[in-house]
Amino acid sequence: ATQALDRQQKRKSALHMAESSKEGSGRKNVHLHPLAIVAISDHFTGIQAGSSIKPPGSKVLGILWGKQQGLEVVITDAVELLYQEGEGGVPAINPAEVNKQKDLYTKVYKDHEMLGWYSVGTDVTPVDTEIHKEMTKYNESPFFLLIHPSPEPDAKDLPLNMYESELHSVGTDEMRMIFVDVEFNLDSTQAERVTME
């Protein structure tokens, strides 16, 4: 796992260096920490193993936490978000639950904020689009981190994608939200490296 993280980090760093060399690109410089990935993996495993309040096969849904200053974004943590089953398979997110988690998290980490949300799946679905729209109530431009549940055994890259949303015009008076890939760097502190090893 550590070697895969190192390879991914070098690849993403090289991509980032190429992007940052472009004048005025205006792109966000996103750093993802391994502890966030581990937390999501634990959440997914808990549901699949039956050790969660959600039955196996339930939607994995949680909040991404970290810091953002201008175009610099650091995602350091991921925490499960409780939800109820809604109509059409779309999780019904209780605003009181989100605000409660925000209050609790920011009391401990005063310089952190809610940066987006995560899930597990092979592709972005219409349900993800609806969840993303809901998450814009708490962050006007949330990130969406999607982790693949069953990567290829010989895969060299981590099985995850990060997205932001953009509104695109379709027709004369209709706007549609689409997801666009976000490049990111894998970063880790010394403590995280020791934990991963």
Side-chain angles (χ1 to χ4, degrees):
T2 304
Q3 290 177 343
L5 282 171
D6 288 342
R7 281 195 300 271
Q8 183 86 351
Q9 185 171 3
K10 286 176 185 173
R11 186 175 146 270
K12 296 293 182 183
S13 293
L15 285 170
H16 171 66
M17 286 169 55
E19 286 298 333
S20 61
S21 67
K22 297 177 183 176
E23 286 290 329
S25 67
R27 293 184 182 229
K28 289 178 181 169
N29 186 11
V30 181
H31 303 269
L32 177 63
H33 281 251
L35 287 182
I37 300 169
V38 170
I40 298 167
S41 177
D42 285 349
H43 182 186
F44 172 69
T45 302
I47 289 177
Q48 295 306 105
S51 59
S52 168
I53 59 172
K54 294 290 183 189
S58 295
K59 181 78 171 170
V60 176
L61 177 60
I63 295 177
L64 299 173
W65 296 96
K67 303 176 186 179
Q68 180 167 358
Q69 186 169 5
L71 296 177
E72 289 292 319
V73 180
V74 181
I75 297 171
T76 56
D77 201 2
V79 179
E80 178 179 354
L81 179 63
L82 297 177
Y83 67 88
Q84 302 298 317
E85 298 299 329
E87 293 181 21
V90 179
I93 297 168
N94 183 347
E97 185 63 38
V98 177
N99 290 323
K100 175 183 168 187
Q101 191 177 124
K102 284 175 72 175
D103 289 344
L104 289 171
Y105 198 91
T106 54
K107 275 182 185 173
V108 178
Y109 303 101
K110 299 188 187 312
D111 57 346
H112 284 56
E113 61 182 297
M114 180 180 167
L115 295 176
W117 67 287
Y118 69 82
S119 190
V120 174
T122 54
D123 292 297
V124 176
T125 67
V127 168
D128 295 325
T129 302
E130 293 305 312
I131 295 170
H132 198 80
K133 288 176 183 175
E134 182 70 18
M135 289 299 178
T136 60
K137 295 177 181 177
Y138 311 102
N139 181 316
E140 63 183 26
S141 183
F143 292 98
F144 170 33
L145 181 61
L146 182 66
I147 294 187
H148 196 292
S150 51
E152 295 294 327
D154 58 349
K156 293 189 174 29
D157 291 334
L158 290 174
L160 52 87
N161 293 86
M162 191 172 303
Y163 302 99
E164 279 188 303
S165 60
E166 292 180 354
L167 286 175
H168 284 233
S169 175
V170 286
T172 55
D173 57 355
E174 184 185 351
M175 299 295 284
R176 180 176 301 160
M177 188 181 79
I178 65 163
F179 287 100
V180 293
D181 281 295
V182 174
E183 293 290 348
F184 60 91
N185 302 305
L186 275 172
D187 279 352
S188 60
T189 63
Q190 180 63 33
E192 285 175 316
R193 287 191 289 274
V194 169
T195 301
M196 294 296 291
E197 289 171 2

